[in-house]
Amino acid sequence: MAKKNVAKRNFIASILATTVSASMLVGSTFAWFTDSASSSNNVIKTGTLDLGMYWTETFGGAWTNAEGDNAPAIYGNEKWEPGYTDVKYVKIANEGSLSFKYEMNVLPNGEVGALAEVIDVYLMQDVASAVTKKDVADATPDGTFQDLIDGEITLAGTLQAGENCVSAIVLKMQETAGNEYQDESIGDSFELRVLATQYTYEEDSFGDDYDGGATFGTYIELNDGEDLLTAMASAKENMPLTIKLNSDVEWATEGHHGENDITRASVITIEGNGHTLTATGSGVTPLGDIEAPMILKNLTVVDNSVSYNEGAWELTYLEMGSPRLVCENVTFADEIQIGTNATFTNCSFESNEESVYAVWVEGGSAKFTNCTFTGYRGLKMHEAYGSEISSVIVKDCTFNKLTKKPGIAIGTLNADTTVSVKDSKFFGCQAGDQGLYIYETDTDVTTFNFINENNQVYGGSLTVTENTTTEELSDALANGYYVALDKDVEMEAETTAPYGNKYGVALTGGVLDGNGKELDIECYGDDYGIMTTGGTVKNLTIKNACRAIMIMNAEQDVILNNVNIGGDGVLYTINTGEEGSTPIKLIVTNSTLAGWTSFAANVESASFTNVTFEQGTYYNNIYGRVIKPYVSTTFTDCSFIEHMNLDLSALELGQKITMKNCTVNGQAVTASVFTIPTTDAEYDTELFTVDLPSWASSITDCIIFA
């Protein structure tokens, strides 16, 4: 499953073995009539779980044992450059007597910089021959090296006793990587670790599922009243620790600088499960362990700690620690400081005090992707007291109505620092010292590596409350504002659109953040709900809107995230009309679409990730479960209702549909699930129908199964 100094790239394989234990039974004696029969030579003995890892540079070559600190490094080239490709073959072997499941992860030693973002990773499992240059050219990368570090992609599988699996790990530096990546590194070294644990194969008296809950390392569910730090201290040595919160917890900070040695775990994952982690105590010691990387997911972080000098700027913030920090879907309700190597994805940050930034980066590296900054001040970066910042990467972020500063404030930086701000939106931010709204700077941006590309500045933002009129809502969206709903909205499609249709609101490059609310637009026939030239719709439910998202005269990408479209009033979930002047992308993630989905015009390509396609109810028949793309489209981790129809009749020669890890009615989507219908009845009886373009003679001519 395919789930910085390059000169010092050093993978150290750590082979972890897990043993199982058995216990004897003790009974009591009773006076019963008895008889006996005996069975001799019985054995009670534990099996062994033993994993081996080996590598070679050439397919079919001699295998080198990767185990141990003195084993030769798998990767060690010092002269990476754009286009350079490195192929290594790794063999995972089950050398014990018990079946196991395994997964690979990478633990960096030292700072991880921006170079990890431009090295593509191809994970080719169960290879039967040498990987060729054409194989790599024809394949789609599973992700970047940063994704591998963050655990977004991995090699994983199961092996019975005596089995092995040979996989190819291909690393390729992106050919588009520019001069800013010269003399960069990913880290001092890396540990390439393969973890193994029991798998449901051997049987006991009740079947093979007795070890179905086996996890990699230590797994703890923390309930009300249980202590977080105590749980962290109980972890197995050099194994991952996963803590799932079933209630809110506290983390008691101390009064000294520097992290504590909290756990023996190799990495800490806290799955917040929607709960809150509150920092208490003396407010100086960072949240984190001195050695173990930390991953926070689906969590709200609150700072209730009080330091010995709250007036000092460096003690005002809640400091985030650990050698490496990864945060996904985390809300930081109070201001934080970063001096480590940190990655934030889908996170939100709040500045609650006029003089305090939502995030202060004072060292290490920080990457922000699809994050939101609100309040008085946004993101600050400044080297102080001898600290070093290697890189700050901002991509696809939103800076919303910052009342004291521009989105980003740059203090003192040295020539080796890289700052990259791309594809982000700035709504109602202050102009700043240079009048740029996006950033202000104390350091001449020509003296360090500074990238400022494809960012957009908008006039303001609007929160829709009970006192907001529909005219105010419409005007804000039409002027590219960031509009957040604080209530459900009902309105009519009253404004005339091209072709004489009516529409409800026009989204012109801004953001419509539903905040979990509903938008109900009363319309008729072919009217439009949201007519858009580009922009973002997120966290919204649309149950009534005819053609819910109508892309018309598009000038920039259309992005839908966490949007639920479907209901008796929805005919098309997504549709397109007049072409704009610029090719754009349609990007849909974490959403549910129920109805006819079709896109053409100047949509250059489309991607759907973690999207559920369901039966529409406007037409509760085949017309409510059709996907008709006119362009190359990728579906990743998507699920389709049974009897779905994929109409590819409009594809032009060379255009392709890619299916990655998708299911239909719970069954994996492969070529075998599709039926090319010859009768109308098959649209209602077959699992998944596909209409091919006239130039295609088979399903694989136009669909790639990755």
Side-chain angles (χ1 to χ4, degrees):
M1 173 182 63
K3 249 237 357 178
K4 251 165 153 222
N5 187 340
V6 177
K8 295 182 179 178
R9 181 188 303 276
N10 177 23
F11 285 81
I12 304 172
S14 176
I15 310 305
L16 305 176
T18 307
T19 59
V20 295
S21 62
S23 61
M24 300 297 291
L25 301 175
V26 179
S28 300
T29 302
F30 297 88
W32 304 102
F33 291 119
T34 64
D35 196 359
S36 67
S38 64
S39 172
S40 302
N41 302 316
N42 294 289
V43 175
I44 296 180
K45 181 179 179 181
T46 58
T48 58
L49 195 153
D50 189 7
L51 177 151
M53 183 166 69
Y54 307 87
W55 67 276
T56 182
E57 292 187 350
T58 58
F59 186 84
W63 291 106
T64 299
N65 193 335
E67 182 176 4
D69 292 340
N70 296 322
I74 297 179
Y75 291 92
N77 181 32
E78 301 182 1
K79 298 180 180 180
W80 281 72
E81 58 188 341
Y84 180 84
T85 304
D86 199 336
V87 181
K88 294 295 190 298
Y89 300 92
V90 176
K91 179 170 71 172
I92 309 298
N94 187 337
E95 299 175 344
S97 62
L98 297 174
S99 299
F100 62 62
K101 57 184 177 182
Y102 67 89
E103 72 174 26
M104 182 189 74
N105 54 52
V106 171
L107 300 179
N109 300 312
E111 188 172 305
V112 177
L115 186 60
E117 292 292 338
V118 295
I119 293 183
D120 287 331
V121 179
Y122 303 77
L123 301 174
M124 301 179 178
Q125 204 155 8
D126 292 319
V127 294
S129 60
V131 174
T132 66
K133 187 175 182 178
K134 184 177 185 301
D135 292 335
V136 177
D138 291 344
T140 301
D142 293 293
T144 65
F145 204 89
Q146 186 66 64
D147 295 325
L148 192 61
I149 292 172
D150 293 343
E152 297 297 325
I153 60 175
T154 185
L155 278 178
T158 61
L159 291 174
Q160 297 178 29
E163 292 183 338
N164 65 70
C165 175
V166 176
S167 300
I169 302 175
V170 182
L171 305 181
K172 180 180 179 181
M173 189 169 178
Q174 295 173 7
E175 295 171 352
T176 56
N179 289 332
E180 66 267 26
Y181 295 101
Q182 290 192 48
D183 198 30
E184 286 288 326
S185 62
I186 292 182
D188 297 332
S189 63
F190 294 90
E191 183 175 344
L192 177 61
R193 174 173 293 185
V194 178
L195 303 175
T197 191
Q198 293 171 238
Y199 179 63
T200 55
Y201 179 75
E202 292 83 17
E203 294 186 353
D204 65 5
S205 298
F206 302 105
D208 63 1
D209 59 352
Y210 60 89
D211 50 4
T215 59
F216 300 106
T218 306
Y219 177 83
I220 299 172
E221 293 199 16
L222 211 59
N223 298 307
D224 188 28
E226 296 178 336
D227 185 67
L228 175 63
L229 297 181
T230 299
M232 294 170 66
S234 69
K236 298 175 184 177
E237 187 172 2
N238 293 325
M239 295 289 282
L241 166 65
T242 300
I243 298 176
K244 179 183 177 182
L245 303 186
N246 291 330
S247 66
D248 297 344
V249 297
E250 295 183 353
W251 184 316
T253 62
E254 298 181 13
H256 64 83
H257 294 275
E259 294 96 336
N260 283 324
D261 187 0
I262 298 172
T263 182
R264 299 174 299 168
S266 60
V267 60
I268 306 162
T269 299
I270 299 178
E271 169 52 65
N273 199 25
H275 291 288
T276 298
L277 187 159
T278 300
T280 60
S282 301
V284 179
T285 306
L287 297 193
D289 181 76
I290 194 169
E291 292 186 351
M294 184 165 66
I295 301 171
L296 304 179
K297 296 182 177 181
N298 307 312
L299 186 67
T300 296
V301 176
V302 174
D303 182 17
N304 283 348
S305 64
V306 180
S307 72
Y308 62 84
N309 186 3
E310 285 291 305
W313 70 266
E314 69 271 24
L315 297 179
T316 301
Y317 295 86
L318 174 64
E319 186 173 355
M320 305 301 296
S322 286
R324 175 153 182 78
L325 175 68
V326 177
C327 297
E328 300 175 8
N329 301 316
V330 177
T331 297
F332 292 90
D334 297 289
E335 301 87 347
I336 65 170
Q337 182 181 6
I338 304 166
T340 184
N341 304 302
T343 300
F344 301 90
T345 305
N346 298 327
C347 294
S348 60
F349 306 92
E350 177 79 17
S351 165
N352 298 303
E353 299 182 40
E354 290 190 14
S355 62
V356 184
Y357 290 87
V359 180
W360 183 297
V361 180
E362 57 92 16
S365 64
K367 180 187 177 186
F368 304 89
T369 304
N370 197 30
C371 294
T372 301
F373 298 79
T374 56
Y376 292 103
R377 299 168 183 246
L379 173 62
K380 172 81 172 185
M381 58 197 76
H382 176 64
E383 294 173 337
Y385 306 127
S387 64
E388 294 278 345
I389 299 174
S390 65
S391 64
V392 179
I393 310 297
V394 178
K395 183 172 174 55
D396 294 320
C397 290
T398 299
F399 295 80
N400 185 30
K401 205 173 183 178
L402 300 174
T403 59
K404 291 297 180 181
K405 286 287 183 178
I408 298 169
I410 300 172
T412 301
L413 297 179
N414 64 47
D416 295 329
T417 302
T418 295
V419 177
S420 175
V421 185
K422 293 183 178 181
D423 306 315
S424 295
K425 298 180 179 181
F426 298 78
F427 296 91
C429 299
Q430 301 305 299
D433 294 342
Q434 290 84 29
L436 299 173
Y437 297 95
I438 295 174
Y439 70 94
E440 66 176 21
T441 182
D442 298 333
T443 304
D444 185 344
V445 296
T446 64
T447 63
F448 59 92
N449 302 316
F450 183 63
I451 303 164
N452 177 22
E453 295 180 357
N454 198 32
N455 301 300
Q456 299 178 48
V457 176
Y458 299 91
S461 61
L462 173 71
T463 298
V464 177
T465 66
E466 294 294 338
N467 297 322
T468 306
T469 66
T470 56
E471 290 78 11
E472 290 172 329
L473 165 62
S474 298
D475 288 345
L477 288 174
N479 285 286
Y481 278 36
Y482 186 104
V483 175
L485 303 187
D486 200 33
K487 66 163 189 171
D488 295 337
V489 173
E490 296 183 3
M491 60 189 305
E492 293 186 17
E494 296 180 316
T495 307
T496 302
Y499 311 133
N501 306 91
K502 304 288 187 179
Y503 69 86
V505 294
L507 176 66
T508 310
V511 175
L512 174 56
D513 185 349
N515 277 329
K517 306 299 183 181
E518 291 187 12
L519 176 63
D520 189 312
I521 300 177
E522 184 177 347
C523 56
Y524 303 94
D526 289 334
D527 290 344
Y528 317 146
I530 300 172
M531 187 177 70
T532 179
T533 61
T536 299
V537 181
K538 61 182 181 179
N539 309 318
L540 182 67
T541 295
I542 304 173
K543 292 185 177 180
N544 189 33
C546 296
R547 298 174 188 239
I549 306 292
M550 186 65 175
I551 303 172
M552 183 75 72
N553 297 310
E555 301 295 336
Q556 57 183 280
D557 294 346
V558 175
I559 301 170
L560 309 181
N561 180 42
N562 192 28
V563 177
N564 186 342
I565 303 176
D568 291 346
V570 173
L571 171 58
Y572 283 85
T573 61
I574 301 170
N575 201 204
T576 50
E578 289 288 333
E579 289 191 21
S581 60
T582 305
I584 62 117
K585 296 178 182 178
L586 170 63
I587 303 168
V588 185
T589 57
N590 308 314
S591 298
T592 299
L593 304 179
W596 185 301
T597 302
S598 179
F599 39 92
N602 57 317
V603 175
E604 180 180 47
S605 64
S607 64
F608 296 81
T609 304
N610 192 30
V611 175
T612 300
F613 292 89
E614 296 183 346
Q615 172 71 55
T617 53
Y618 188 102
Y619 288 121
N620 195 17
N621 53 33
I622 181 58
Y623 299 108
R625 54 177 189 270
V626 173
I627 305 171
K628 187 171 184 177
Y630 288 68
V631 297
S632 293
T633 303
T634 300
F635 298 92
T636 304
D637 297 325
C638 293
S639 61
F640 304 92
I641 192 173
E642 63 177 341
H643 312 316
M644 199 80 198
N645 173 243
L646 183 60
D647 185 351
L648 305 182
S649 60
L651 288 186
E652 296 181 358
L653 181 64
Q655 292 179 327
K656 300 283 187 179
I657 304 300
T658 301
M659 291 282 182
K660 294 182 178 180
N661 195 36
C662 295
T663 60
V664 54
N665 199 32
Q667 182 176 337
V669 174
T670 62
S672 63
V673 306
F674 283 103
T675 297
I676 302 172
T678 57
T679 67
D680 289 345
E682 289 177 297
Y683 288 105
D684 294 319
T685 59
E686 298 304 309
L687 183 61
F688 207 151
T689 56
V690 57
D691 296 305
L692 298 181
S694 59
W695 52 265
S697 58
S698 68
I699 291 171
T700 54
D701 285 344
C702 50
I703 303 180
I704 299 170
F705 299 95

